[in-house]
PDB file of all heavy atoms in Angstrom:
ATOM      1  N   ASN A 172      13.805   4.505  16.938  1.00 93.00           N
ATOM      2  CA  ASN A 172      14.976   5.132  16.267  1.00 93.00           C
ATOM      3  C   ASN A 172      16.035   5.487  17.295  1.00 93.00           C
ATOM      4  O   ASN A 172      17.312   5.317  17.024  1.00 93.00           O
ATOM      5  CB  ASN A 172      14.622   6.346  15.426  1.00 93.00           C
ATOM      6  CG  ASN A 172      13.917   5.974  14.164  1.00 93.00           C
ATOM      7  OD1 ASN A 172      13.934   4.788  13.699  1.00 93.00           O
ATOM      8  ND2 ASN A 172      13.192   6.972  13.596  1.00 93.00           N
ATOM      9  N   MET A 173      15.699   5.973  18.473  1.00 92.00           N
ATOM     10  CA  MET A 173      16.641   6.373  19.451  1.00 92.00           C
ATOM     11  C   MET A 173      17.270   5.063  19.930  1.00 92.00           C
ATOM     12  O   MET A 173      18.593   4.979  20.124  1.00 92.00           O
ATOM     13  CB  MET A 173      16.016   7.076  20.598  1.00 92.00           C
ATOM     14  CG  MET A 173      15.512   8.420  20.255  1.00 92.00           C
ATOM     15  SD  MET A 173      16.797   9.631  19.943  1.00 92.00           S
ATOM     16  CE  MET A 173      17.496   9.844  21.514  1.00 92.00           C
ATOM     17  N   SER A 174      16.568   3.974  20.154  1.00 92.00           N
ATOM     18  CA  SER A 174      17.131   2.715  20.600  1.00 92.00           C
ATOM     19  C   SER A 174      18.102   2.067  19.543  1.00 92.00           C
ATOM     20  O   SER A 174      19.192   1.655  19.876  1.00 92.00           O
ATOM     21  CB  SER A 174      15.959   1.715  20.808  1.00 92.00           C
ATOM     22  OG  SER A 174      16.474   0.437  21.069  1.00 92.00           O
ATOM     23  N   GLU A 175      17.726   2.202  18.298  1.00 94.00           N
ATOM     24  CA  GLU A 175      18.598   1.713  17.194  1.00 94.00           C
ATOM     25  C   GLU A 175      19.773   2.415  17.087  1.00 94.00           C
ATOM     26  O   GLU A 175      20.995   1.935  16.939  1.00 94.00           O
ATOM     27  CB  GLU A 175      17.869   1.740  15.806  1.00 94.00           C
ATOM     28  CG  GLU A 175      16.687   0.781  15.664  1.00 94.00           C
ATOM     29  CD  GLU A 175      15.864   0.886  14.513  1.00 94.00           C
ATOM     30  OE1 GLU A 175      16.143   1.770  13.731  1.00 94.00           O
ATOM     31  OE2 GLU A 175      14.957   0.062  14.317  1.00 94.00           O
ATOM     32  N   LEU A 176      19.776   3.793  17.165  1.00 92.00           N
ATOM     33  CA  LEU A 176      20.979   4.666  17.134  1.00 92.00           C
ATOM     34  C   LEU A 176      21.898   4.326  18.223  1.00 92.00           C
ATOM     35  O   LEU A 176      23.151   4.205  17.981  1.00 92.00           O
ATOM     36  CB  LEU A 176      20.591   6.131  17.182  1.00 92.00           C
ATOM     37  CG  LEU A 176      21.681   7.165  17.154  1.00 92.00           C
ATOM     38  CD1 LEU A 176      22.307   7.133  15.792  1.00 92.00           C
ATOM     39  CD2 LEU A 176      21.056   8.572  17.385  1.00 92.00           C
ATOM     40  N   SER A 177      21.353   4.121  19.409  1.00 91.00           N
ATOM     41  CA  SER A 177      22.181   3.806  20.587  1.00 91.00           C
ATOM     42  C   SER A 177      22.887   2.463  20.439  1.00 91.00           C
ATOM     43  O   SER A 177      24.065   2.368  20.691  1.00 91.00           O
ATOM     44  CB  SER A 177      21.341   3.857  21.860  1.00 91.00           C
ATOM     45  OG  SER A 177      22.070   3.547  22.997  1.00 91.00           O
ATOM     46  N   THR A 178      22.166   1.499  19.932  1.00 93.00           N
ATOM     47  CA  THR A 178      22.701   0.149  19.787  1.00 93.00           C
ATOM     48  C   THR A 178      23.606   0.141  18.625  1.00 93.00           C
ATOM     49  O   THR A 178      24.831  -0.422  18.760  1.00 93.00           O
ATOM     50  CB  THR A 178      21.456  -0.875  19.519  1.00 93.00           C
ATOM     51  OG1 THR A 178      20.633  -0.747  20.592  1.00 93.00           O
ATOM     52  CG2 THR A 178      22.051  -2.256  19.329  1.00 93.00           C
ATOM     53  N   LEU A 179      23.280   0.648  17.484  1.00 94.00           N
ATOM     54  CA  LEU A 179      24.174   0.559  16.308  1.00 94.00           C
ATOM     55  C   LEU A 179      25.480   1.324  16.462  1.00 94.00           C
ATOM     56  O   LEU A 179      26.528   0.847  15.956  1.00 94.00           O
ATOM     57  CB  LEU A 179      23.477   1.003  15.022  1.00 94.00           C
ATOM     58  CG  LEU A 179      22.280   0.078  14.555  1.00 94.00           C
ATOM     59  CD1 LEU A 179      21.489   0.704  13.500  1.00 94.00           C
ATOM     60  CD2 LEU A 179      22.856  -1.317  14.249  1.00 94.00           C
ATOM     61  N   CYS A 180      25.411   2.497  17.038  1.00 93.00           N
ATOM     62  CA  CYS A 180      26.574   3.371  17.129  1.00 93.00           C
ATOM     63  C   CYS A 180      27.321   3.323  18.443  1.00 93.00           C
ATOM     64  O   CYS A 180      28.299   4.035  18.647  1.00 93.00           O
ATOM     65  CB  CYS A 180      26.188   4.885  16.770  1.00 93.00           C
ATOM     66  SG  CYS A 180      25.467   5.010  15.076  1.00 93.00           S
ATOM     67  N   GLY A 181      26.661   2.653  19.335  1.00 92.00           N
ATOM     68  CA  GLY A 181      27.347   2.539  20.728  1.00 92.00           C
ATOM     69  C   GLY A 181      27.470   3.835  21.426  1.00 92.00           C
ATOM     70  O   GLY A 181      28.511   4.181  22.105  1.00 92.00           O
ATOM     71  N   ILE A 182      26.490   4.669  21.364  1.00 90.00           N
ATOM     72  CA  ILE A 182      26.476   5.950  21.924  1.00 90.00           C
ATOM     73  C   ILE A 182      25.276   6.049  23.013  1.00 90.00           C
ATOM     74  O   ILE A 182      24.324   5.266  22.986  1.00 90.00           O
ATOM     75  CB  ILE A 182      26.290   7.170  20.956  1.00 90.00           C
ATOM     76  CG1 ILE A 182      24.964   6.988  20.176  1.00 90.00           C
ATOM     77  CG2 ILE A 182      27.596   7.184  20.049  1.00 90.00           C
ATOM     78  CD1 ILE A 182      24.756   8.110  19.261  1.00 90.00           C
ATOM     79  N   ASN A 183      25.493   6.947  23.959  1.00 89.00           N
ATOM     80  CA  ASN A 183      24.425   7.226  24.827  1.00 89.00           C
ATOM     81  C   ASN A 183      23.510   8.260  24.360  1.00 89.00           C
ATOM     82  O   ASN A 183      23.929   9.276  23.867  1.00 89.00           O
ATOM     83  CB  ASN A 183      25.028   7.742  26.200  1.00 89.00           C
ATOM     84  CG  ASN A 183      25.901   6.722  26.932  1.00 89.00           C
ATOM     85  OD1 ASN A 183      25.667   5.528  26.818  1.00 89.00           O
ATOM     86  ND2 ASN A 183      27.051   7.176  27.594  1.00 89.00           N
ATOM     87  N   THR A 184      22.226   7.969  24.356  1.00 90.00           N
ATOM     88  CA  THR A 184      21.191   8.750  23.906  1.00 90.00           C
ATOM     89  C   THR A 184      20.007   8.907  24.906  1.00 90.00           C
ATOM     90  O   THR A 184      19.944   8.130  25.755  1.00 90.00           O
ATOM     91  CB  THR A 184      20.658   8.334  22.559  1.00 90.00           C
ATOM     92  OG1 THR A 184      20.016   7.106  22.795  1.00 90.00           O
ATOM     93  CG2 THR A 184      21.552   8.204  21.409  1.00 90.00           C
ATOM     94  N   CYS A 185      19.421  10.102  24.852  1.00 91.00           N
ATOM     95  CA  CYS A 185      18.244  10.289  25.656  1.00 91.00           C
ATOM     96  C   CYS A 185      17.221  11.194  24.768  1.00 91.00           C
ATOM     97  O   CYS A 185      17.699  11.975  23.932  1.00 91.00           O
ATOM     98  CB  CYS A 185      18.569  10.790  27.026  1.00 91.00           C
ATOM     99  SG  CYS A 185      18.932  12.587  27.099  1.00 91.00           S
ATOM    100  N   ALA A 186      15.985  11.069  25.108  1.00 91.00           N
ATOM    101  CA  ALA A 186      14.927  11.901  24.511  1.00 91.00           C
ATOM    102  C   ALA A 186      13.976  12.347  25.681  1.00 91.00           C
ATOM    103  O   ALA A 186      13.687  11.488  26.473  1.00 91.00           O
ATOM    104  CB  ALA A 186      14.235  11.205  23.552  1.00 91.00           C
ATOM    105  N   ILE A 187      13.663  13.609  25.731  1.00 90.00           N
ATOM    106  CA  ILE A 187      12.734  14.045  26.679  1.00 90.00           C
ATOM    107  C   ILE A 187      11.550  14.677  25.963  1.00 90.00           C
ATOM    108  O   ILE A 187      11.792  15.611  25.118  1.00 90.00           O
ATOM    109  CB  ILE A 187      13.364  15.147  27.733  1.00 90.00           C
ATOM    110  CG1 ILE A 187      14.552  14.487  28.370  1.00 90.00           C
ATOM    111  CG2 ILE A 187      12.418  15.642  28.644  1.00 90.00           C
ATOM    112  CD1 ILE A 187      15.396  15.377  29.178  1.00 90.00           C
ATOM    113  N   MET A 188      10.380  14.201  26.180  1.00 90.00           N
ATOM    114  CA  MET A 188       9.233  14.838  25.491  1.00 90.00           C
ATOM    115  C   MET A 188       8.199  15.221  26.505  1.00 90.00           C
ATOM    116  O   MET A 188       7.838  14.583  27.455  1.00 90.00           O
ATOM    117  CB  MET A 188       8.670  13.682  24.406  1.00 90.00           C
ATOM    118  CG  MET A 188       9.583  13.622  23.302  1.00 90.00           C
ATOM    119  SD  MET A 188       8.873  12.528  22.059  1.00 90.00           S
ATOM    120  CE  MET A 188       9.307  10.989  22.712  1.00 90.00           C
ATOM    121  N   TYR A 189       7.496  16.344  26.158  1.00 87.00           N
ATOM    122  CA  TYR A 189       6.371  16.869  26.896  1.00 87.00           C
ATOM    123  C   TYR A 189       5.160  17.058  25.948  1.00 87.00           C
ATOM    124  O   TYR A 189       5.403  17.504  24.829  1.00 87.00           O
ATOM    125  CB  TYR A 189       6.794  18.243  27.517  1.00 87.00           C
ATOM    126  CG  TYR A 189       5.638  18.970  28.135  1.00 87.00           C
ATOM    127  CD1 TYR A 189       5.084  18.491  29.299  1.00 87.00           C
ATOM    128  CD2 TYR A 189       5.002  19.949  27.440  1.00 87.00           C
ATOM    129  CE1 TYR A 189       4.018  19.209  29.851  1.00 87.00           C
ATOM    130  CE2 TYR A 189       3.927  20.676  27.959  1.00 87.00           C
ATOM    131  CZ  TYR A 189       3.441  20.173  29.150  1.00 87.00           C
ATOM    132  OH  TYR A 189       2.373  20.861  29.565  1.00 87.00           O
ATOM    133  N   SER A 190       4.136  16.496  26.443  1.00 86.00           N
ATOM    134  CA  SER A 190       2.845  16.720  25.763  1.00 86.00           C
ATOM    135  C   SER A 190       1.868  17.225  26.695  1.00 86.00           C
ATOM    136  O   SER A 190       1.787  16.806  27.818  1.00 86.00           O
ATOM    137  CB  SER A 190       2.318  15.354  25.235  1.00 86.00           C
ATOM    138  OG  SER A 190       0.999  15.414  24.728  1.00 86.00           O
ATOM    139  N   PRO A 191       1.148  18.300  26.281  1.00 83.00           N
ATOM    140  CA  PRO A 191       0.093  18.867  27.225  1.00 83.00           C
ATOM    141  C   PRO A 191      -0.978  17.879  27.558  1.00 83.00           C
ATOM    142  O   PRO A 191      -1.582  17.968  28.564  1.00 83.00           O
ATOM    143  CB  PRO A 191      -0.447  20.039  26.368  1.00 83.00           C
ATOM    144  CG  PRO A 191       0.137  20.078  25.092  1.00 83.00           C
ATOM    145  CD  PRO A 191       1.130  19.024  25.032  1.00 83.00           C
ATOM    146  N   ASP A 192      -1.117  16.829  26.797  1.00 82.00           N
ATOM    147  CA  ASP A 192      -2.047  15.870  27.043  1.00 82.00           C
ATOM    148  C   ASP A 192      -1.701  14.866  28.157  1.00 82.00           C
ATOM    149  O   ASP A 192      -2.491  14.184  28.677  1.00 82.00           O
ATOM    150  CB  ASP A 192      -2.551  15.067  25.802  1.00 82.00           C
ATOM    151  CG  ASP A 192      -3.089  15.962  24.710  1.00 82.00           C
ATOM    152  OD1 ASP A 192      -3.692  17.011  25.036  1.00 82.00           O
ATOM    153  OD2 ASP A 192      -2.806  15.708  23.524  1.00 82.00           O
ATOM    154  N   GLU A 193      -0.366  14.717  28.373  1.00 82.00           N
ATOM    155  CA  GLU A 193       0.160  13.751  29.320  1.00 82.00           C
ATOM    156  C   GLU A 193       0.409  14.492  30.645  1.00 82.00           C
ATOM    157  O   GLU A 193       0.803  15.685  30.675  1.00 82.00           O
ATOM    158  CB  GLU A 193       1.488  13.177  28.680  1.00 82.00           C
ATOM    159  CG  GLU A 193       1.285  12.393  27.523  1.00 82.00           C
ATOM    160  CD  GLU A 193       0.589  11.145  27.580  1.00 82.00           C
ATOM    161  OE1 GLU A 193       0.689  10.519  28.594  1.00 82.00           O
ATOM    162  OE2 GLU A 193      -0.131  10.729  26.670  1.00 82.00           O
ATOM    163  N   SER A 194       0.348  13.872  31.716  1.00 83.00           N
ATOM    164  CA  SER A 194       0.563  14.501  33.002  1.00 83.00           C
ATOM    165  C   SER A 194       2.074  14.623  33.341  1.00 83.00           C
ATOM    166  O   SER A 194       2.427  15.397  34.076  1.00 83.00           O
ATOM    167  CB  SER A 194      -0.162  13.758  34.128  1.00 83.00           C
ATOM    168  OG  SER A 194       0.302  12.399  34.148  1.00 83.00           O
ATOM    169  N   GLN A 195       2.910  13.654  32.770  1.00 85.00           N
ATOM    170  CA  GLN A 195       4.264  13.704  33.129  1.00 85.00           C
ATOM    171  C   GLN A 195       5.087  13.806  31.838  1.00 85.00           C
ATOM    172  O   GLN A 195       4.669  13.440  30.737  1.00 85.00           O
ATOM    173  CB  GLN A 195       4.686  12.331  33.913  1.00 85.00           C
ATOM    174  CG  GLN A 195       4.015  12.282  35.220  1.00 85.00           C
ATOM    175  CD  GLN A 195       4.491  10.989  35.884  1.00 85.00           C
ATOM    176  OE1 GLN A 195       5.310  10.235  35.354  1.00 85.00           O
ATOM    177  NE2 GLN A 195       3.982  10.770  37.130  1.00 85.00           N
ATOM    178  N   LEU A 196       6.339  14.211  32.104  1.00 86.00           N
ATOM    179  CA  LEU A 196       7.369  14.134  30.990  1.00 86.00           C
ATOM    180  C   LEU A 196       7.621  12.760  30.609  1.00 86.00           C
ATOM    181  O   LEU A 196       7.568  11.855  31.479  1.00 86.00           O
ATOM    182  CB  LEU A 196       8.680  14.799  31.419  1.00 86.00           C
ATOM    183  CG  LEU A 196       8.682  16.268  31.472  1.00 86.00           C
ATOM    184  CD1 LEU A 196      10.110  16.671  32.110  1.00 86.00           C
ATOM    185  CD2 LEU A 196       8.520  16.957  30.277  1.00 86.00           C
TER     186      LEU A 196
END
Side-chain angles (χ1 to χ4, degrees):
N172 286 340
M173 293 292 288
S174 175
E175 289 174 357
L176 180 65
S177 180
T178 303
L179 292 174
C180 298
I182 59 172
N183 295 327
T184 60
C185 75
I187 302 170
M188 286 186 279
Y189 168 75
S190 171
D192 301 326
E193 301 288 328
S194 60
Q195 295 183 359
L196 289 174

